[in-house]
């Protein structure tokens, strides 16, 4: 008998963006939770996919000279490749351009239309082209209007009677199902939305403006609003309305989403379902954002921030550190629900500490000692002299399954990983205190004591490897193999939990180091090569023609002389200084990556050159308006200053 069921979904991703750390996190989280549930005896269905209709897709296909379908095929393939690289095993990959999905969307809309929940109405208002949403007057910005991102639209459209069900949803969330939206902060956010007056939801787009969508079943001049189309994937993917698969999985649905898409999932989706007579998913978990310098990680991270806090693409990091290690970092570091700032240095510090020092080191020490002193065989019980701490650690190892199970089923895999790594640390402490490497040389009793100590470590490592497998599948398969437990790719199941491994006499083959220590300095140099103040241009010939810019392009740069008025270190950021500078009459703040080369007091009074018209960025939560210029050679960095220091600040550099 299965323990229960889980139908776990990720958002379906837009096919106009490369998968980045944000998409990867949600999908890895879903995969880890799916694997933990399977390990603990649940039946699981895991679905992810791509969201392929709408204006953004149509526009980006057009810009690339492709048909929308070609664009969709190319990008959905990229997501699939990324997920295969990241060891993600889903049961279903849904694409909203599939015929079955289109039919389901139409069936659901027809039902709502027939029962009078959809009506036609002329609407005049502001429309955000990039979010594909009508917005209220208060959300209109000058910049948005000027860039064409926000436009005024007056058109006849179909609307869904969202407001009719507003009170029902408030009751559902507030009184009847307080666990429906997690964490609590997000639940409160939705309740806040429900307390305000609600507009009915515009669910169509005229084909004259947008053709790339699912045709409205009752009016061929319109296509379905992409969000309504997208949300329905969660039920079309399992065969709503008639398939037995649907009734089997739907009551145990868990949607994982980022907090950016809480409103459609926590507000529109439950109401659409309820109106159509479909039950609600069991849970919605909205996690926070991966941020860099306080800014949401996305394709649009400002150039200034990208320059000052460079991080390589997650694929490149995975190539250097290993996919398993990146999965580990993502799961270990983020508390679902909270935002998490990151930098590449943070990743390396975490991996070196938990994986290279704690886990990897323990595996090498133990397997080497067994090889050298016990002919690679697990010592028999009669050859062991037990000790109380070792026995306690064996008991603790046996209790780890329950602990991990509780955290994982509670959707807190970060706590599961934390418990496992803490256990690894206690094994390391035990080994250091027990010193099996010395005891083996201290006669029969010493050798018997060492034997027990190693058996304790091997048993503990086996348990840790099984319980960390959902987080790092390939790596933990390698670890199990090095302990002599042969396992097929993704072949882990509950039986491994029940096993008391290793038995006496098992051969412990050992293996290559699992988590070699990462040399941060070497990585840092690679990263610096990406930063505008860092790259060392080949000396000599000034590049080829493609690298030349016109005088007009150069004039777009507003380079100015600035005087440094104040300078201080940014707490917990070794490389950053916060500077107050004066450019003519104007005083502003910039954050610069020069702290390793200049002390704050050395900066004060200096006249430097800054790019004054760089878009503002938040670096470690601090506003930075501009960028200073500096020359770099190897490990040296020198500010560009003026030969004649009496030149007034604000002077133009040309
Ligand atoms: N297509 C819609 C979702 C429709 S679901 C019915 C969409 N797609 S998206 O490609 O923009 O992906 C959004 C999701 O990616 C977020 O909800 C979140 O899961 C993930 N992330 C994107 N950037 C993120 C961070 N910086 N941090 C964490 N996750 C974020 O919206």
């Amino acid at each position: 008998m299965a323990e229960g069921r889980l139908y776990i979904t990720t958002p379906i991703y837009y096919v106009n963006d490369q998968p980045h750390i944000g998409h990867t996190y949600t999908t890895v989280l879903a995969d880890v939770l799916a694997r933990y549930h399977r390990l603990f005896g649940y039946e699981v269905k895991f679905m992810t996919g791509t969201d392929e209709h709408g204006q953004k897709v149509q526009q980006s296909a057009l810009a690339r000279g492709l048909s929308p379908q070609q664009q969709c095929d190319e990008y959905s393939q990229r997501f699939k490749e990324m997920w295969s690289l990241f060891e993600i095993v889903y049961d279903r990959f849904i694409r909203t351009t599939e015929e079955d999905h289109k039919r389901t969307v139409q069936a659901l809309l027809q039902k709502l239309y027939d029962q009078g929940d959809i009506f036609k109405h002329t609407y005049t208002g502001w429309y955000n082209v990039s979010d594909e949403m009508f917005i209220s007057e208060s959300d209109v910005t000058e910049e948005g209007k000027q860039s064409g991102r926000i436009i005024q639209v007056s058109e006849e459209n179909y609307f869904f009677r969202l407001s009719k069900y507003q009170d029902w949803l408030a009751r559902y969330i507030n009184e009847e199902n307080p666990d429906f939206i997690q964490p609590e902060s997000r639940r409160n956010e939705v309740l806040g939305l429900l307390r305000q007056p609600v507009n009915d939801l515009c669910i169509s787009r005229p084909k004259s403006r947008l053709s790339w969508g699912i045709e409205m079943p009752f009016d061929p001049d319109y296509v379905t609003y992409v969000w309504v189309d997208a949300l329905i994937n969660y039920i079309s993917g399992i065969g709503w309305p008639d398939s037995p698969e649907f009734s089997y999985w739907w009551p145990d649905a868990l949607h994982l989403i980022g907090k950016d898409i809480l409103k459609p999932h926590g507000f529109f989706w439950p109401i659409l379902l309820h109106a159509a007579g479909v039950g609600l998913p069991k849970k919605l978990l909205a996690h926070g954002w991966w941020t860099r310098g306080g800014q949401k990680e996305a394709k649009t991270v400002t150039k200034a921030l990208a320059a000052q806090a460079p991080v390589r693409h997650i694929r490149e990091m995975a190539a250097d550190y290993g996919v398993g290690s990146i999965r580990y970092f993502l799961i270990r570091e983020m508390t679902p629900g909270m935002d998490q700032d990151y930098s590449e240095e943070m990743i390396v510090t975490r991996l070196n500490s938990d994986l290279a020092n704690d886990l990897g080191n323990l595996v090498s020490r133990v397997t080497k000692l067994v090889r050298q002193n016990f002919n690679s065989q697990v010592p028999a019980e009669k050859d062991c002299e037990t000790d109380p701490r070792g026995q306690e650690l064996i008991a603790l190892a046996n209790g780890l399954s329950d602990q991990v199970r509780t955290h994982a089923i509670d959707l807190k895999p970060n706590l599961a990983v934390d418990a496992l790594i803490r256990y690894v640390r206690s094994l390391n402490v035990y080994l250091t205190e027990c010193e099996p490497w010395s005891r083996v040389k201290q006669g029969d009793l010493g050798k018997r004591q060492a034997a027990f100590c190693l058996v304790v470590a091997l048993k503990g490592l086996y348990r840790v490897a099984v319980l960390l497998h959902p987080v790092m599948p390939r790596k933990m398969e390698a670890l199990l193999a090095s302990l002599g437990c042969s396992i097929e790719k993704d072949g882990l199941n509950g039986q491994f939990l029940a096993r008391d491994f290793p038995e006496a006499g098992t051969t412990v083959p050992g293996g290559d180091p699992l988590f070699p220590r990462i040399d941060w300095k070497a990585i840092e140099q690679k990263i610096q090569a990406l930063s505008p103040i860092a790259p060392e241009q080949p000396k000599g010939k000034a590049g080829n023609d493609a690298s030349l810019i016109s005088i007009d392009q150069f004039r777009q740069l507003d380079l100015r002389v600035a005087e440094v008025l104040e300078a201080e270190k940014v707490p917990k950021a070794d490389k950053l200084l916060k500077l107050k500078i004066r450019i003519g009459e104007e005083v502003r703040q910039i954050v610069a990556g020069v702290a390793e080369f200049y002390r704050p007091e050395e900066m004060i009074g200096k006249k430097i050159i800054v790019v004054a018209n760089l878009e503002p960025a938040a670096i470690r939560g601090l506003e930075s308006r501009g960028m200073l210029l500096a020359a770099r050679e190897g490990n040296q960095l020198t500010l560009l200053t003026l030969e004649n220091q009496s030149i007034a600040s604000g002077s133009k550099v040309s």
Side-chain angles (χ1 to χ4, degrees), residues 295-589:
Q295 234 184 78
K296 182 185 177 210
E297 184 64 72
K299 200 168 57 172
T300 48
V301 165
T302 61
K303 292 194 196 80
L305 175 60
Q308 304 222 20
V311 163
R312 292 174 303 157
H313 189 272
I314 188 162
R315 219 186 275 109
E316 290 168 57
M317 295 196 270
D320 273 346
Y321 313 143
V323 162
S325 301
I326 296 290
R327 285 175 59 115
Y328 177 87
F329 175 81
L330 293 175
I331 295 302
R332 168 71 177 78
E333 211 65 27
M334 188 177 262
T335 304
M338 316 267 280
D339 286 353
Q340 179 63 53
D341 214 56
Y342 82 108
S343 67
E344 200 155 334
E345 189 170 3
M346 249 173 91
I347 298 181
V348 172
T349 307
R350 168 63 70 198
L351 297 182
N352 275 343
S353 130
D354 289 10
L355 298 184
N357 284 0
D358 293 338
L359 182 55
N361 211 358
L362 179 63
V363 177
S364 327
R365 283 210 281 182
V366 170
T367 51
K368 196 164 139 207
L369 283 165
V370 176
R371 191 176 65 239
Q372 289 174 343
N373 302 290
F374 298 92
N375 196 21
S376 297
Q377 308 275 300
V378 176
E381 213 172 304
K382 65 174 178 38
D383 296 325
C384 290
E385 183 70 30
T386 62
D387 66 75
R389 179 58 185 153
Q391 276 163 332
E392 201 182 343
L393 283 165
I394 292 179
L396 282 174
N398 293 333
L400 277 176
S401 295
D402 282 344
Q403 245 179 304
V404 168
R405 184 197 160 91
T406 306
H407 293 315
I409 306 299
D410 206 18
L411 312 181
K412 296 191 173 99
N414 54 316
L415 298 184
V417 170
D418 191 53
L420 290 168
I421 265 323
R422 269 189 288 120
Y423 180 74
V424 167
R425 272 184 211 127
S426 15
L427 281 182
N428 268 323
V429 171
Y430 171 62
L431 233 69
T432 308
E433 283 168 358
C434 190
E435 292 188 24
W437 45 90
S438 316
R439 287 194 198 242
V440 284
K441 298 182 202 126
Q442 291 165 5
D444 184 52
L445 179 62
K447 188 149 185 186
R448 286 157 53 80
Q449 287 168 329
F452 181 66
C453 177
L454 293 174
V455 167
V456 171
L458 288 168
K459 283 188 188 299
L461 276 173
Y462 169 75
R463 215 123 276 275
V464 167
V466 169
L467 291 168
L468 264 184
H469 182 271
V471 180
M472 297 184 277
R474 291 300 85 75
K475 278 286 177 193
M476 291 305 105
E477 283 155 18
L479 170 46
L480 287 168
S482 79
L483 300 179
C485 172
S486 69
I487 174 171
E488 280 172 29
K489 186 177 166 202
D490 290 326
L492 194 86
N493 57 39
Q495 286 170 5
F496 285 81
L497 281 177
R499 240 174 115 174
D500 182 17
F501 188 89
E503 296 93 12
T506 305
T507 303
V508 177
D512 293 335
L514 279 176
F515 301 105
R517 208 183 153 70
I518 304 163
D519 176 358
W520 168 241
K521 285 282 160 230
I523 297 286
E524 197 179 21
Q525 276 177 6
K526 268 197 196 179
I527 302 173
Q528 276 171 353
L530 304 171
S531 154
I533 57 164
E536 287 182 51
Q537 294 298 336
K539 297 178 185 86
K541 210 163 161 263
N544 55 26
D545 286 352
S547 66
L548 299 179
I549 59 165
S550 69
I551 186 75
D552 284 340
Q553 283 172 311
F554 172 72
R555 284 201 186 110
Q556 286 175 7
L557 277 179
D558 188 15
L559 298 176
R560 298 279 172 170
V561 175
E563 183 181 354
V564 181
L565 303 177
E566 290 170 21
E568 62 181 84
K569 293 197 98 169
V570 175
K572 294 198 210 130
D574 296 346
K575 301 196 174 54
L576 299 179
L577 286 186
K578 184 173 87 175
L579 307 177
K580 194 167 273 178
I581 59 172
R582 187 153 60 81
I583 307 177
E585 297 299 301
E586 190 196 342
V587 173
R588 49 162 104 167
Q589 172 173 300

Side-chain angles (χ1 to χ4, degrees), residues 10-14 17 20-23 25-26 51 79 227 230-231 233-234 256-261 265 287-291 296-298 334:
T10 71
I12 48 173
Y13 303 108
Y14 286 130
D17 197 359
H20 58 60
I21 188 170
H23 309 120
Y25 173 69
T26 318
D51 187 356
F79 276 96
W227 262 107
L231 287 164
N233 93 85
Y234 298 128
L256 297 187
I257 58 164
K259 66 177 185 179
D260 46 336
I261 51 175
H265 283 86
H287 64 71
W289 287 337
W290 287 96
T291 60
K296 182 185 177 210
E297 184 64 72
M334 188 177 262

